[in-house]
Amino acid sequence: MPGRPSLAGRSLLVSRPAGRMGGGGSALRVCADHRGGINWLSLSPDGQRLLTGSEDGTARLWSTADGQCCALLQGHESYVTFCQLEDEVAFTCSADRTIRKWDVRTGQCLHVFRGHTSIVNRILVANNQLFSSSYDRTARAWSVDKGQVSQEFRGHRNCVLTLAYSAPWDLPGAPCAEEVGGLLVTGSTDGTAKVWQVASGCCHQTLRGHTGAVLCLVLDTPSHTAFTGSTDATIRAWDILSGEQLRVFREHQGSVICLELVNRHVYSGSADRTVKCWLADTGERVRTFAAHRHSVSALKYHAGTLFTGSGDARARAFDAQSGALQRVFRGHAFVINCIQVGAPARLLGSASAGRGRPPPAPRDRAPPAERPPTVG
């Protein structure tokens, strides 16, 4: 395990983003029980609980009301890369090659999902299935209830970083939508994204055009469109049914690290220290948010405000329409890996670590013990 970082480097800050004027954002609570940096956090659907996954190999469940740790989830043998919190269960994945399902009331591990042969990068729970991506060059689908692999998706030539799912009912007009069980889209350091038929495991389309690793992707399910961001400094829009490249967004000067799709606008955070807003349907750049001092590593849109996290250890709140900087949140010491916004209480949660985010840069397949390198 990495050496123990400073207190601020392994902290979760909970702040109140209310207010329309610029200035410093005040931290309401600092949750610093982890012994390693926090790589990801996930907010419960009701906004009352927050799950954090850490370098120390554990996950913790917190109350957003008082910042108290409600449960300690122990069992992983290496750092936790990602986590997802549902109503009654939590899911974590790790560099120990496994995924775990937890009872959030008791902290008990319910299932261990084994099968990947290298670091598990991301997980996604949808339609009573668990999807995962790994450094072993595969993505997998699992039964949420039984913890067994139901499908493997093989074809990428390097590690699979990011993934998104489109359910059958989100594919109106698509041929054989029900039969294919929905579509899974994966992005890889091999420079491609792939669209898979979940039921068969067959590759439906390979999306070729990027000249660098695909670090992030978002889906617009009504239009069957995927948006991918890459180390080649571009964003590309694709028709996931036909595989056609629809448009290229070209104004960034560094790797595109994170994406948000809201109200027909694409927001992109980059290693060039900016966020850009684009019209999803045309690729036209609408505005640039340029107050950051380092790579933009996290984005979250909420109620007309765009929240960003950066390698400069600051979170920022911008008016999404005008681009005006409203507030700066200070307190972390290292890169901000993830931001979540709790709508009921209007709380901003940000997680800081040193290593887990941004996504890995392109390289040869990493052996299980090797740490993914970072971008920016």
Side-chain angles (χ1 to χ4, degrees):
M1 291 298 295
R4 179 170 175 157
S6 69
L7 179 66
R10 62 178 188 269
S11 65
L12 162 70
L13 298 187
V14 181
S15 308
R16 189 176 302 281
R20 307 297 294 177
M21 301 302 291
S26 58
L28 298 178
R29 286 173 287 284
V30 180
C31 308
D33 292 352
H34 279 296
R35 295 187 177 185
I38 299 172
N39 289 333
W40 203 259
L41 54 84
S42 177
L43 191 67
S44 64
D46 61 11
Q48 295 182 7
R49 294 171 297 178
L50 200 62
L51 179 68
T52 54
S54 172
E55 294 280 313
D56 64 15
T58 71
R60 287 179 181 265
L61 191 68
W62 311 83
S63 165
T64 57
D66 57 15
Q68 295 299 306
C69 181
C70 308
L72 173 62
L73 311 182
Q74 298 183 92
H76 282 297
E77 298 177 1
S78 189
Y79 58 92
V80 177
T81 55
F82 194 83
C83 57
Q84 184 168 336
L85 180 59
E86 301 293 308
D87 289 321
E88 297 182 355
V89 295
F91 297 87
T92 57
C93 61
S94 168
D96 68 6
R97 314 177 192 180
T98 71
I99 303 157
R100 288 178 178 254
K101 177 183 177 181
W102 310 83
D103 185 319
V104 299
R105 297 166 299 178
T106 66
Q108 177 186 2
C109 181
L110 302 175
H111 290 299
V112 180
F113 301 70
R114 304 182 189 275
H116 281 297
T117 59
S118 190
I119 298 165
V120 184
N121 290 316
R122 291 291 182 268
I123 50 176
L124 170 65
V125 180
N127 195 21
N128 202 36
Q129 296 178 93
L130 177 91
F131 300 96
S132 59
S133 64
S134 171
Y135 254 67
D136 66 11
R137 309 185 188 190
T138 73
R140 299 181 186 226
W142 313 73
S143 164
V144 167
D145 296 328
K146 297 181 180 179
Q148 298 175 343
V149 176
S150 58
Q151 199 58 258
E152 290 187 15
F153 307 95
R154 293 184 175 272
H156 281 296
R157 292 179 295 173
N158 214 320
C159 72
V160 185
L161 294 180
T162 185
L163 69 172
Y165 173 72
S166 185
W169 50 86
D170 291 327
L171 300 166
C176 304
E178 293 294 332
E179 287 81 358
V180 302
L183 298 176
L184 181 70
V185 186
T186 56
S188 169
T189 55
D190 66 12
T192 71
K194 287 181 179 286
V195 184
W196 309 85
Q197 297 178 358
V198 170
S200 67
C202 295
C203 182
H204 176 69
Q205 297 290 348
T206 298
L207 311 180
R208 304 182 189 276
H210 284 297
T211 57
V214 178
L215 301 182
C216 50
L217 69 87
V218 291
L219 284 184
D220 178 37
T221 51
S223 67
H224 310 150
T225 303
F227 298 87
T228 54
S230 169
T231 57
D232 67 10
T234 71
I235 304 153
R236 295 171 191 254
W238 314 82
D239 184 312
I240 62 173
L241 300 182
S242 68
E244 178 187 1
Q245 180 176 285
L246 303 175
R247 62 196 69 92
V248 184
F249 307 64
R250 294 188 182 276
E251 293 189 29
H252 276 301
Q253 302 302 308
S255 299
V256 179
I257 297 170
C258 46
L259 292 172
E260 277 267 283
L261 175 64
V262 183
N263 300 329
R264 310 306 307 154
H265 290 79
V266 176
Y267 296 89
S268 55
S270 172
D272 67 11
R273 307 181 183 185
T274 71
V275 175
K276 293 184 185 293
C277 175
W278 317 77
L279 294 179
D281 297 326
T282 66
E284 177 188 354
R285 180 182 56 81
V286 178
R287 66 188 60 87
T288 298
F289 305 79
H292 307 89
R293 299 177 183 176
H294 207 281
S295 300
V296 179
S297 49
L299 289 175
K300 182 62 65 173
Y301 176 97
H302 178 77
T305 300
L306 181 69
F307 297 96
T308 64
S310 173
D312 63 14
R314 305 285 191 267
R316 292 174 172 82
F318 295 88
D319 183 285
Q321 185 170 2
S322 69
L325 178 64
Q326 296 177 336
R327 193 162 292 233
V328 179
F329 301 88
R330 297 176 174 86
H332 289 300
F334 298 113
V335 57
I336 293 176
N337 296 325
C338 184
I339 290 175
Q340 295 286 355
V341 182
R346 290 284 288 135
L347 296 178
L348 171 70
S350 55
S352 172
R355 320 250 178 172
R357 286 265 293 176
R363 56 170 299 152
D364 293 334
R365 178 181 179 183
E370 184 175 342
R371 189 56 197 254
T374 56
V375 171

